[in-house]
Amino acid sequence: MELLEKAKAGNKPSIARLISIVEEGTPESAAVLREIYLETGGARLIGVTGPPGSGKSTLTDKLVKACRNKGKTVGVIAVDPTSPFTGGAILGDRIRMSGIALDEGVFIRSMGTRGSLGGVSKATHNAIKVLDYAGFDYIFIETVGVGQSEIDIVKTADSVIVVSVPGLGDDVQASKAGILEIGDIFVVNKSDRDGAERVVIELAQMLDLNPNKDIGWKPPIIKTVASRGDGVDELNDKVNEHYDYLLESDEITERRKIRLANEVMEVLMKHAETYVHSRLEEEEFTSKKLDKILSRELNPYDVVDEILEKTFK
Amino acid sequence: MAKKVRILVAKPGLDGHDRGAKVVARAFRDAGYEVIYTGLRQSAEQITTAAIQEDVDVVAMSLLSGAHATLMPRVIKMLKEQGAGDKLVIGGGVIPEEDIPELKAAGVAEVFTPGTPLKTIIEYVNSKF
Amino acid sequence: MFDKAKIEEIKKGVADYNSKWEAAKAKAAEKGRKLERSERFVTGSGAEVKQLYTPADIAELDYSTDIGNPGEFPFVRNVQANGYRGRLWTMRQYAGFSTAEESNKRYRYLIESGSTGLSCAFDLPTQIGYDSDDPISEGEVGKVGVAIDSLADMEILFEGIDLGKVSTSMTINAPASVLLAFYIAAAEKKGVSPEQLTGTIQNDILKEYAARGTYIFPPAPSMRLITDIFGFCAENVPQWNTISISGYHIREAGSTAAQEVAFTLADGIAYVQAAIDTGLDVDAFAGRLSFFFNAHNDLLEEAAKFRAARRIWARTMKDRFKAKSERSMMFRVHTQTGGSTLTAQQPDNNIIRVTIQTLAAILGGTNSLHTNSKDEALALPTEDSVRVALRTQQIVAFESGVAETVDPLAGSYYVESLTNQIEAEALEYIAKIDEMGGADVAVEQGYIQREIQDSAYEYQKQVESGERIVVGVNKFQIKEAPPEGLLKIDLSVGVNQAKKLKEMKEGRDNNAVQAKLEALREAAKGSANLMPYILDASRVYCTEGEICNVLRAEFGEYTPLQSI
């Protein structure tokens, strides 16, 4: 495939087009992924998650600059929610990354969650593979820290940065939806604002509740003012420290295994789902049986058993 | 499932009037598009880079400062030079009627002047995909 | 204002009136007929309008404490005790385009035609602190206003105009200190001292973040530059209005009338607080604060808006900031008719719109007014259309009769209700913004931007659906030939301006330039008032770009939040 060769050589339009292909999830997409998989695995993945307005794009902008100063190339994937009502989205994270947007060694891509169940993380992981294949040294994945699907996207990164900010509500946002469990590094951004210290204390208390807190990596809490660059060096040091820890403890292999297992499972489930759907349609199963379930002539559990037996025999 | 159409809504130049651009961005979102909004003060380089990396199908530029004659053709030229000349480029804002032929000759597919209904703009883009 | 028994009687009458109408409407509906041409009646800002207003709607209003006579607290009727019977409002036409030479010609023309104040429009590079030869300025030089790169251009701009007599308003924000310094230096060279200068700089950075977009520096150093100007002018340029806190652009960006009042006054509160925090006494600077409003087409709502703003500001200054001087409590306001209400279709209709808006501003009691020209939805105005715009003000002033008595709408049940309603909505917003930590925080979080955009989108959808009629745009359209004779700015303006700048730089004392820029850099690192340093740099012909670049290096640049 010509597109693949060009992408490998760093041609931006080709990389961009490949991402579109794998994001769409068409049959062509499967062929691309099959082709590139063996040449991926070289990139370091860093997840950044936090609520809207927490300044995570500005933080990402600064972290990317630090990578660039070391001569590393960087891909960024910024995920924003798609409207469940219209299927449309406004993706505006590039605005906050104007400092790196024109850098030849940086590639920024915005993605909508497009609402399909489980499909979000798959599309994102596929996009990551394209950037990985194209040779980027670092890949940042940025998501809004709400909803399970967004958490699924970042939690499989090598290092996960969870961003909180004072003044967005009474409770620490990080405690929502189990995001506390996935953070390797916690950041309290806009820490020059009132209430920053309270957020730090609350985070520390919650982390202290973890029964395994004394084993392995101890997630640090770092105060930053991203707009001024305050605390960014320290954050960057911690990200590197965490990576060293992953290598030394070989936890990185463990993490990547889990990630792959998830991915394989996702692909498998997707195929299974498609297969089941196609069979159901063939057999005109649904409508006929549904009527009977509705009139209480049949119960749904027996019907499912029957479907399973028929489809997977 | 139909392919998701992606559109870049950009404000080239120094002009800060973004009411129109933002209203158009929202309208495209509500019509089911994925809209990448660039924010203010974008150079031709920034718009081209964003259009390429985001692999958008449409580049929509809004200008009210009178700098359209310089900036819109420049974006189109750069897109072509960088191998992305296949994108649909449209323009909007305070653009005198007499400047439109020149913009079209430079590759701007359509120009929408003040008072154009959002529906007209969206239907135009819909018709291309 | 009425006795209780009377109000009860009126309320009963209104109830009867309403039930009769409801019954009639219901009866008509049964037969498939409608008695009203619309499901909902709303103001230009979308606020519900009732069929009937009576004394019952303003029963709580106390004339002496809530309205007061003109010139008396809370200044609802006018800050000027005799309204326009003494002096008419200042007719101030915003103008400026292309080069300093061309704009100078327009200014002289305006003064000859009876303008009583000048108002400078600058091009975008000037507004954002770039010189005309900066690559980023390409295509923008001289387009939306005049290009001013240094004191040299400022001298040409006011050639032959007596700066000791004319009052000059400059629409300049992020680099306001630089342009004010150029103006002071230009006056000095003509032998006019700073104490003699009268005029206004816009100098309102918060609405740049919220609505207008010509920001340079982040909020904290921007607020410092603003309070530096307050302090410097209090001592050296005492007749200068140091800020024009602007709702105009908030409204242009799509806000409602009540939001315009709320966000402008919230910005005002933030500036007053910032100045007090630097140690200034409230009465030392508050009397020099002025405001800038829009005037849209809903005549009565717009007039009420000004009245509501005067009441809120007076009470805020007195109760919240403990101002003692009455002058500190006065909401003095310049108005411009609504640019976004002008249509590119059938542009002659815009003359009528501007007339209604002029009436709204005058009935609202504005202190000065700019009227837009009919062709401004298409391009910069031509001389002919600028004349019609100015004549509109003169006809309202001398022929309409509305300027002969003070606040003629006072006591109208509807107008007083609207005034209360706008005040209540604005106060609710202000309380919410206070809770967030003030207008600076609310802007930084994108709250104000989102509120404005929601209103803008809502309005646009109403126009699209035909629920809201814009004559010539979604109803009563005609086939039109493309307009002719529009003002066009040649691209050569940029080239010439850059050439002129190069020559100026070769002719000046470049050692002095470097020394003054270094002195400014050092001062910016500390906390000294920067105005004297900027003025020193201006005197030796440092360019605006050079001065702003020094400050950019020290302060950084603002990056906006995504806020759709």
Side-chain angles (χ1 to χ4, degrees), chain A residues 12-13 16-17 20 23-24 82 86-92 94-95 101-102 106-110 112 114, chain B residues 3-4 6 25-26 29-30 32-39 45-46 49-50 52-55 82-83 86-87:
Chain A
K12 300 267 170 72
R17 186 57 48 89
S20 299
E23 191 184 7
E24 284 289 335
T82 294
T86 66
I90 291 179
L91 314 172
R94 288 191 87 88
I95 299 180
L102 281 182
V106 176
F107 188 103
I108 307 170
R109 180 61 174 248
S110 317
R114 296 194 183 177
Chain B
K3 180 191 171 324
K4 191 61 88 178
R6 288 163 67 90
R26 284 184 178 214
R29 175 198 62 193
D30 291 350
Y33 286 71
E34 266 179 10
V35 182
I36 291 95
Y37 181 64
T38 66
E45 289 81 356
Q46 285 169 314
T49 304
I52 288 174
Q53 295 185 358
E54 298 292 352
D55 193 32
Q82 297 180 34
D86 57 341
K87 301 187 191 307

Side-chain angles (χ1 to χ4, degrees), chain A residues 202-249:
Chain A
E202 283 177 20
L203 270 174
Q205 284 169 345
M206 281 189 231
L207 289 173
D208 209 41
L209 295 176
N210 181 349
N212 300 322
K213 65 176 190 290
D214 297 324
I215 306 164
W217 175 258
K218 193 168 162 40
I221 303 169
I222 300 165
K223 289 196 281 183
T224 60
V225 183
S227 57
R228 292 204 303 253
D230 298 357
V232 174
D233 286 343
E234 193 196 343
L235 172 59
N236 199 45
D237 289 345
K238 286 292 172 196
V239 173
N240 288 326
E241 226 175 89
H242 181 247
Y243 189 64
D244 291 342
Y245 161 80
L246 288 177
L247 292 181
E248 279 163 24
S249 62

Side-chain angles (χ1 to χ4, degrees), chain C residues 337-369:
Chain C
T337 57
S340 63
T341 66
L342 301 180
T343 63
Q345 296 75 14
Q346 306 174 44
D348 285 346
N349 295 345
N350 292 328
I351 298 175
I352 322 304
R353 294 192 175 96
V354 171
T355 307
I356 295 170
Q357 295 163 6
T358 300
L359 277 168
I362 301 311
L363 289 168
T366 190
N367 303 91
S368 74
L369 179 64

Side-chain angles (χ1 to χ4, degrees), chain A residues 61 93-102 108, chain B residues 42 46, chain C residues 559:
Chain A
D61 179 278
D93 287 316
R94 288 191 87 88
I95 299 180
R96 300 296 274 188
M97 293 188 238
S98 56
I100 51 173
L102 281 182
I108 307 170
Chain B
Q42 297 293 300
Q46 285 169 314
Chain C
T559 31

Side-chain angles (χ1 to χ4, degrees), chain C residues 279-314:
Chain C
L280 289 169
D281 174 58
V282 63
D283 287 316
F285 67 89
R288 297 252 58 108
L289 304 179
S290 65
F291 292 84
F292 177 22
F293 264 10
N294 210 313
H296 275 212
N297 288 331
D298 189 318
L299 180 68
L300 299 175
E301 181 179 47
E302 293 299 298
K305 172 184 83 181
F306 289 87
R307 305 176 82 249
R310 280 195 294 269
R311 181 152 69 211
I312 299 175
W313 190 247

